[in-house]
Each structure stands twice: as structure tokens, then as C-alpha cells.
């Protein structure tokens, strides 16, 4: 029986101080962000996910982007070593949460850096973005942990966006979708479908053909609906101002041994 647990973490009161790398800084409405986060978590629960709250870290402005702290394959967790020093304090709470859920735990060690937003899993293939936050040593350590378990790790250059999953995610059938101007090498993916909006590149598979997507990508939602998927839209405008997307706000655990 596949598990349906999703790690989430409340936004820090210092959210407005979060890092921005590839976009201009905009003012963040932290009250609105809190409401949007609650609605996102409720959407996961409505679609059958059991949400598990990770201990908040108020001193880490970016800690709501819980996906960056861990990569999970089957029931093995790799605790990351974020490329941004200000994010290093985010990992210990995530480590405790995955250990409590029964994952075996591994770590990325210096000089490696790796952030979970750089890892896109499509079946047993793990695409890992080699860019600003994840270095070659981080890619090597990811390989060393997951290849013996049957994963195939494919490194992908990332230069135009913060993380690989800022540029591409995958549909349930394995087709990779992305906003073409921000994808360095679309030919690395066996099947690539360009989408018309930047935020349309991000989907979370809710199961049953449903795709959690940002409300800021209506044209992409229409395109995917025409292809037989069922978009479920959430407004995450305040997190998008920090280069966040629907994938970064949770870690979906589908293969825990229950």
C-alpha cells in the first residue's frame, strides 16, 4: 500500500527576508502568505494526503520551502546541505521528521552542496540540476546513496533559474514539462512538452490524474486539461515572489514501508 504523507512547514515570520536570485525583490504580504500556506496544506489533505508538520524554524526566512532540505527515494532520505549558508539551519527538523516516519537517513557532507528543489524524480530516474545551489560533489553524493537502490541519476545543467524544478517537473506519464526559455537543455529529457507560462512548469501529482498547480498559470492549466489531466489550482503569489513554487512547499512521501 503506497503511503500518502506530505511534509510541510509553516512560514517563518521573517519570510519577507527570503533569498531571491534570478528575479527582482518584491514586497511580501506575510499575512496573505500564511493564508495561502494554510490553503495549500488543506488542498493536500482534501486529496488524501496526510500532512506532517515539520518543526518550524523562525530564524530561517526560507524554511517554508521544505522540499530543499531532503531528497527521498523509496524509504531512504538524503538530508541535503543547502548551497546558501542562511539555509543550513533548516535541515535538522526535517531529519527528525523523516526519521520518525521510518526513513533510513543519509547526509550530504562538505564540500558537497545539494538542495532538494534540484532533484526531479521520474519513475526510477533522478534528474539532478547542477547549478547555483547544487555542486558536482553534491551530485556525486546523491549518486552514491541512490544508485545502489536502483535509481538512475542524470545530471542536468541549470543556469537560468534557481533550481531544476523551477524549470521543469513531470506529468504522471513521465512527460517532462517546462517553460522553454528557462530550460537549459530540453533534449536531455526523452519526452519534453513546452508550456506557455513560467509557473506552468510546476506540478505536484495528487494522484488520480489530478495536478496541483499555481493559479498564476491558467493557460497551462487549460493545456493540461485538454490532455486529460485535472488541474487543481492554488494561489501561492507571495511564495512566487521568492522563487517558490507548488513543489517546494511540501515533500511527498509515497513509498514509505507502512
Amino acid at each position: 500500500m503506497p503511503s500518502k504523507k506530505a511534509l510541510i512547514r509553516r512560514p517563518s515570520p521573517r519570510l519577507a527576508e527570503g533569498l531571491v536570485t534570478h528575479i527582482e525583490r518584491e514586497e511580501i504580504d506575510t499575512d496573505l502568505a500564511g493564508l495561502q500556506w494554510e490553503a495549500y496544506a488543506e488542498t493536500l489533505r482534501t486529496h488524501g494526503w496526510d500532512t506532517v508538520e515539520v518543526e518550524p524554524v523562525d530564524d530561517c526566512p526560507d524554511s517554508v520551502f521544505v522540499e530543499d532540505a531532503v531528497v527521498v527515494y523509496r524509504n531512504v532520505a538524503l538530508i541535503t546541505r543547502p548551497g546558501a549558508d542562511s539555509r543550513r539551519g533548516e535541515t535538522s527538523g526535517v531529519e527528525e521528521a523523516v526519521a520518525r516516519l521510518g526513513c533510513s537517513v543519509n547526509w550530504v557532507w562538505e564540500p558537497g552542496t545539494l538542495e532538494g528543489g534540484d532533484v526531479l524524480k521520474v519513475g526510477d530516474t533522478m534528474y539532478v540540476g547542477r547549478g547555483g545551489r547544487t555542486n558536482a560533489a553534491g551530485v556525486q553524493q546523491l549518486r552514491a546513496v541512490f544508485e545502489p537502490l536502483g535509481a538512475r541519476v542524470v545530471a542536468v545543467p541549470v543556469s537560468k533559474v534557481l533550481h531544476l524544478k523551477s524549470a521543469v517537473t513531470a506529468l504522471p506519464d513521465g512527460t517532462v514539462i517546462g517553460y522553454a526559455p528557462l530550460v537549459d537543455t530540453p533534449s536531455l529529457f526523452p519526452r519534453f512538452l513546452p508550456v506557455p507560462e513560467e509557473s506552468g512548469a510546476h506540478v505536484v501529482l495528487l494522484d488520480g490524474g489530478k495536478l496541483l498547480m499555481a493559479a498564476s498559470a491558467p493557460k497551462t492549466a487549460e493545456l493540461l486539461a485538454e490532455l486529460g489531466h485535472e488541474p487543481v489550482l492554488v494561489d501561492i503569489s507571495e511564495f512566487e515572489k521568492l522563487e517558490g513554487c507548488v513543489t517546494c512547499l511540501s515533500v511527498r512521501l509515497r513509498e514509505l514501508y507502512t
Side-chain angles (χ1 to χ4, degrees):
M1 180 71 182
S3 55
K4 286 186 75 175
K5 292 192 185 297
L7 300 184
I8 53 173
R9 185 182 244 162
R10 284 183 184 278
S12 156
R14 294 176 56 193
L15 178 72
E17 299 167 46
L19 300 170
V20 290
T21 309
H22 290 268
I23 59 174
E24 292 293 313
R25 184 173 289 283
E26 290 182 69
E27 202 170 315
I28 307 286
D29 181 334
T30 49
D31 291 337
L32 177 56
L35 294 172
Q36 290 178 345
W37 182 85
E38 296 282 2
Y40 175 95
E42 188 52 42
T43 303
L44 289 174
R45 289 190 286 269
T46 301
H47 291 89
W49 291 84
D50 175 15
T51 54
V52 177
E53 272 202 52
V54 177
E55 193 72 31
V57 221
D58 288 356
D59 281 346
C60 292
D62 288 298
S63 53
V64 68
F65 302 123
V66 67
E67 175 184 58
D68 289 323
V70 65
V71 178
V72 181
Y73 176 72
R74 300 191 178 159
N75 69 323
V76 176
L78 178 62
I79 303 301
T80 67
R81 187 167 176 268
D85 288 347
S86 64
R87 302 199 62 185
R88 300 266 163 91
E90 297 176 24
T91 57
S92 58
V94 173
E95 181 182 331
E96 284 169 28
V98 293
R100 270 202 308 275
L101 290 168
C103 290
S104 63
V105 177
N106 297 262
W107 298 266
V108 175
W109 301 104
E110 197 174 358
T113 62
L114 174 75
E115 293 188 4
D118 273 321
V119 181
L120 172 64
K121 289 176 290 190
V122 183
D124 287 317
T125 300
M126 293 181 128
Y127 294 100
V128 54
R130 165 68 188 91
R133 298 286 183 83
T134 293
N135 65 16
V139 173
Q140 288 164 351
Q141 292 182 43
L142 180 87
R143 276 204 181 100
V145 171
F146 293 122
E147 282 191 340
L149 304 176
R152 191 170 67 101
V153 174
V154 178
V156 176
V158 172
S159 65
K160 302 173 184 178
V161 285
L162 179 63
H163 291 126
L164 176 63
K165 285 168 82 172
S166 310
V168 292
T169 55
L171 298 174
D173 63 8
T175 299
V176 171
I177 61 170
Y179 180 61
L182 298 180
V183 183
D184 284 68
T185 323
S187 60
L188 286 174
F189 307 107
R191 293 197 305 280
F192 179 76
L193 174 70
V195 296
E197 294 139 317
E198 182 177 343
S199 61
H202 319 128
V203 297
V204 169
L205 313 185
L206 292 171
D207 292 339
K210 294 188 172 71
L211 303 174
L212 184 65
M213 293 181 64
S216 56
K219 291 183 187 143
T220 307
E222 196 177 317
L223 167 69
L224 296 178
E226 283 171 11
L227 295 176
H229 303 286
E230 192 178 329
V232 175
L233 302 183
V234 287
D235 185 359
I236 55 162
S237 63
E238 301 314 290
F239 301 106
E240 289 174 324
K241 293 173 185 175
L242 294 168
E243 297 171 286
C245 49
V246 285
T247 59
C248 335
L249 293 168
S250 60
V251 178
R252 284 76 52 203
L253 304 170
R254 292 182 167 83
E255 294 183 276
L256 296 178
Y257 296 149
T258 49

